[in-house]
């Protein structure tokens, strides 16, 4: 874990209330409309490691009651100290104990079924994963190269081009969707945009599955 002097940490939002509200609205929009690319506008001095959009999202969502797990690249940087200083969150060494997970581009996404899925009575006690990817954008690309999303907030089908997800993501996400109302919610982040992938969304690269009701 990086030990960074507090004096060297970048600033958070210049106006904490307005900055948090603006980013929170972007998160709500992304999760309400899966597959839609949503800009994350902020003025926080984000850490050098990790996408700035991800840092702003976590700056807005975390508080002193939250636990956060960082992937290796982030854990070795000042990202944890920056978020801990500005939000009061607690960093944990075990991703299964976290309510929020941040995965840097190039680091492995923990197996979704190992993370906190919540319970049938308290599904809100599940984890939200913020995953840095090189690309996540709506597309009209060939079906074999795009993710096809269906579910609440989507009119028919949303096609999404994403790079950087694990090879077995389709199977992992199907299993995650299958334990609803429990399950993990994902926010895919590029440098300045996010795309929501809530547990209610089906995601497949199979053209036949897209035809299903």
């Amino acid at each position: 874990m990086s030990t960074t002097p507090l004096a060297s940490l970048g600033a958070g939002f210049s106006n904490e209330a307005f900055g948090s509200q603006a980013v929170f609205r972007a998160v709500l929009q992304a999760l309400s409309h899966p597959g839609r690319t949503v800009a994350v506008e902020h003025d926080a001095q984000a850490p050098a490691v990790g996408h700035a959009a991800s840092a702003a999202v976590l700056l807005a969502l975390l508080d002193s009651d939250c636990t956060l797990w960082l992937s290796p690249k982030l854990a070795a940087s000042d990202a944890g100290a920056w978020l801990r200083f500005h939000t009061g969150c607690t960093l944990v060494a075990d991703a299964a104990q976290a309510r929020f997970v941040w995965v840097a581009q190039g680091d492995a996404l923990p197996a979704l079924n190992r993370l906190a899925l919540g319970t049938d009575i308290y599904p809100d006690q599940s984890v939200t994963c913020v995953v840095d990817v090189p690309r996540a954008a709506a597309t009209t690309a060939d079906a074999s190269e795009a993710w096809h999303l269906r579910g609440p907030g989507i009119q028919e089908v949303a096609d999404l081009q994403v790079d950087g997800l694990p090879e077995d993501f389709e199977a992992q996400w199907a299993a995650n969707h299958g334990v609803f109302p429990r399950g993990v919610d994902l926010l895919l982040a590029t440098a300045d945009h996010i795309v929501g992938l809530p547990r209610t969304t089906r995601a497949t690269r199979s053209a036949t599955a897209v035809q299903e009701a």
Side-chain angles (χ1 to χ4, degrees), residues 6 31 49 63 66 101 115 122 133 160 189 198 209-210:
L6 295 182
L31 292 175
V49 177
D63 59 31
C66 294
V101 160
L115 302 177
Y122 300 108
V133 294
L160 183 69
V210 174

Side-chain angles (χ1 to χ4, degrees), residues 36-49:
R36 179 179 297 181
T37 303
V38 179
V40 180
E41 298 179 356
H42 66 94
D43 61 359
Q45 296 176 348
V49 177

Side-chain angles (χ1 to χ4, degrees), residues 131-144:
V131 184
D132 290 353
V133 294
R135 177 170 59 166
T139 183
T140 56
D142 181 78
S144 64

Side-chain angles (χ1 to χ4, degrees), residues 144-187:
S144 64
E145 299 180 359
W147 289 97
H148 309 293
L149 310 182
R150 293 181 65 94
I154 301 172
Q155 185 174 4
E156 297 183 0
V157 180
D159 292 330
L160 183 69
Q161 187 74 47
V162 182
D163 296 332
L165 294 177
E167 292 185 2
D168 64 344
F169 181 78
E170 185 173 359
Q172 286 200 57
W173 192 253
N176 182 69
H177 177 77
V179 300
F180 182 83
R182 296 180 296 133
V184 173
D185 296 319
L186 290 188
L187 288 168

